[in-house]
Amino acid sequence: MTTSLWQDAPEPMRAEHDDVVIGAGIVGSYAATVLEQRGRDVALVDARFPAAGASGRNAGFVLTSQRETYPVLIEQAGRDGAREILAMVRDNVSRMRALAVEYDVPFDEGAVHLAQSRAEARDLEEWARAYEADGVPVEFAEGDPYGAGFAATMRIENDFAVQPARLTEAIAAASGATLYDHNEVHSIKSAGDHLLVAGRRAHIRCQRVFVATNGYTGNLHPYLLGIVRPVRGQILMTTPVEPLIDVAGITEYNYFRQFEDGRVLMGGARCFFEEQEYTAEDVTTPNLLENLEAYLRRWFAGIDFEVERHWAGIHGFTPDRRAAVGLIPDESRIAFALGFSGYGNSIGLLSAERMVELALDGRDPGPLSAARFA
Ligand SMILES: Cc1cc2nc3c(=O)[nH]c(=O)nc-3n(C[C@H](O)[C@H](O)[C@H](O)COP(=O)(O)OP(=O)(O)OC[C@H]3O[C@@H](n4cnc5c(N)ncnc54)[C@H](O)[C@@H]3O)c2cc1C
């Protein structure tokens, strides 16, 4: 999205803060929290409102995993790099749980990875063994907990599924930052010893800017276009059905959860419509929704439902489908944490923290460093 000159407030508010965080999703809200804890005076800015983006639309899985399986992460980042990412993810999952408890946000214990075929079961087992070797409590078993006919299941201790919008809103509200909502930022300009963040409703002077706009980043800085790409995800919710799924499940291309009231959330199938889903357009499409519906009917025979609701969300994907934390090369006062590639609940908090540490302390973000795309 962009905003036109005509849509600007006639007299935009003028403000000054130490730092401006752009994007009040889970990553920006947590970055604002970390900055406030470090004694900074922070403006948290959003084009709409906290959790308006992917953080308020996702499936709520908080998994000890990333878009790529652990064996693939090892190939990409080496064993030490993969171990470091894994340690961050485990820390992130624990923090998400602690925050959900602290803010009384509903969550369901557990989640399982499922293999649909013997070949997928072999890959899942390889992943489970690699996790075990690196100290992750994990159970691999033939079959599935629903008796639905999946080939195998991997269950990792501490995984769970949360109400993601409530959690993000709570983190934003507790951060201590001043919120500027409905304030889409259209430019970040250097003005001598400070930066000027110009939005529709407010122009904010600051020392540093933290960009946490994920899949919506395109218009903020050309450098970021090469790092993060918008990819749409779609989800449907059924009318209530009998208890079928006592623990949330994720397969290579799909995911599902059932709520206490019987409704089933079903998402994924993006890879079958790849070209169509490389977009930031916030609409659902009949072909993908039909595919999700057919998936549920195929695996849960006899299930009788109607689609009650459906929505879309925009992810940010990087070229190697791992989060990217960095500074803009020719303007080191602008930091960013982007590209969670569908796993922001698993690594978003740690990425936000690494972004702050990079900007304030010069700490290398390690395997999340965006320098790998230089
Ligand atoms: C359908 C779907 C299902 C998913 N399921 C899961 C899941 O189960 N588990 C998981 O870990 N991850 C999941 N994800 C991914 C997860 O939602 C994201 O990784 C995570 O929410 C990213 O958080 P964020 O704060 O970086 O971005 P967002 O939540 O997208 O926040 C970015 C914010 O920036 C604001 N913004 C954008 N441009 C501007 C601007 N110019 N000025 C001001 N503000 C701006 C937007 O309004 C938005 O609020 C899913 C994503 C989708 C789309």
Side-chain angles (χ1 to χ4, degrees):
M1 203 97 77
T2 55
T3 51
S4 80
L5 178 67
W6 325 120
Q7 292 167 330
D8 281 359
E11 303 260 341
M13 191 191 307
R14 309 272 158 186
E16 185 159 357
H17 293 269
D18 293 340
D19 302 316
V20 173
V21 177
I22 309 177
I26 192 137
V27 175
S29 300
Y30 198 70
T33 305
V34 175
L35 285 162
E36 285 278 345
Q37 283 167 353
R38 294 194 54 166
R40 315 276 305 169
D41 165 36
V42 183
L44 178 59
V45 174
D46 201 279
R48 296 176 69 195
F49 47 83
S55 301
R57 296 155 185 259
N58 68 58
F61 285 75
V62 185
L63 303 175
T64 309
S65 54
Q66 290 286 272
R67 166 66 55 190
E68 302 296 359
T69 67
Y70 197 54
V72 173
L73 267 187
I74 292 170
E75 270 169 38
Q76 277 189 353
R79 190 90 195 201
D80 287 348
R83 280 193 181 124
E84 197 177 338
I85 294 170
L86 178 59
M88 286 192 247
V89 169
R90 292 182 74 186
D91 186 356
N92 197 103
V93 171
S94 297
R95 290 191 201 190
M96 289 286 280
R97 179 181 285 274
L99 289 167
V101 170
E102 182 180 348
Y103 299 133
D104 202 16
V105 175
F107 65 91
D108 301 322
E109 281 298 351
V112 293
H113 294 260
L114 298 158
Q116 298 179 155
S117 63
R118 293 306 319 155
E120 283 184 20
R122 279 192 295 278
D123 290 345
L124 202 57
E125 186 164 15
E126 189 196 343
W127 181 0
R129 299 295 162 242
Y131 260 8
E132 245 167 18
D134 281 347
V136 179
V138 56
E139 271 173 41
F140 175 83
E142 302 282 323
D144 68 72
Y146 330 114
F150 289 95
T153 304
M154 176 172 78
R155 196 185 285 259
I156 304 165
E157 191 180 277
N158 220 17
D159 285 1
F160 65 103
V162 73
Q163 210 292 19
R166 288 295 93 81
L167 184 60
T168 300
E169 289 160 2
I171 296 171
S175 68
T178 306
L179 178 68
Y180 294 82
D181 57 9
H182 296 94
N183 184 43
E184 179 154 357
V185 172
H186 53 77
S187 72
I188 309 167
K189 289 206 176 98
S190 169
D193 63 350
H194 64 271
L195 294 167
L196 189 65
V197 178
R200 204 178 63 76
R201 228 165 47 76
H203 289 190
I204 309 172
R205 244 173 95 107
C206 62
Q207 293 161 22
R208 284 201 175 79
V209 172
F210 295 84
V211 178
T213 48
N214 207 26
Y216 307 90
T217 298
N219 299 309
L220 278 179
H221 195 285
Y223 172 74
L224 298 175
L225 278 176
I227 292 188
V228 70
R229 176 178 193 186
V231 175
R232 182 170 59 203
Q234 302 187 36
I235 287 181
L236 66 75
M237 185 78 91
T238 71
T239 46
V241 297
E242 281 174 21
L244 280 173
I245 301 163
D246 52 0
V247 61
I250 179 161
T251 68
E252 194 171 348
Y253 302 125
N254 291 291
Y255 45 84
F256 41 80
R257 300 171 62 178
Q258 186 169 23
F259 297 95
E260 249 177 45
D261 63 9
R263 290 180 302 164
V264 176
L265 174 155
M266 171 83 217
R270 190 179 39 77
C271 62
F272 306 118
F273 304 92
E274 200 122 17
E275 280 313 308
Q276 163 189 305
E277 298 304 297
Y278 280 124
T279 176
E281 204 188 354
D282 177 12
V283 292
T284 54
T285 61
N287 58 359
L288 196 144
L289 292 177
E290 274 161 25
N291 185 293
L292 292 178
E293 202 177 323
Y295 186 93
L296 264 185
R297 296 194 194 281
R298 176 172 148 228
W299 284 96
F300 299 96
I303 181 174
D304 183 20
F305 68 88
E306 289 185 16
V307 175
E308 186 185 276
R309 179 117 183 221
H310 45 91
W311 64 88
I314 307 304
H315 311 86
F317 272 53
T318 59
D320 60 8
R321 314 207 296 180
R322 268 159 48 204
V325 175
L327 303 174
I328 301 281
D330 57 1
E331 180 46 272
S332 62
R333 293 173 295 178
I334 306 178
F336 58 87
L338 306 164
F340 306 99
S341 307
Y343 281 76
N345 293 340
S346 299
I347 193 125
L349 306 186
L350 265 286
S351 302
E353 187 174 82
R354 291 286 173 113
M355 165 172 73
V356 169
E357 289 170 353
L358 171 65
L360 300 192
D361 312 326
R363 181 182 176 193
D364 186 338
L368 303 188
S369 173
R372 68 187 189 276
F373 302 121

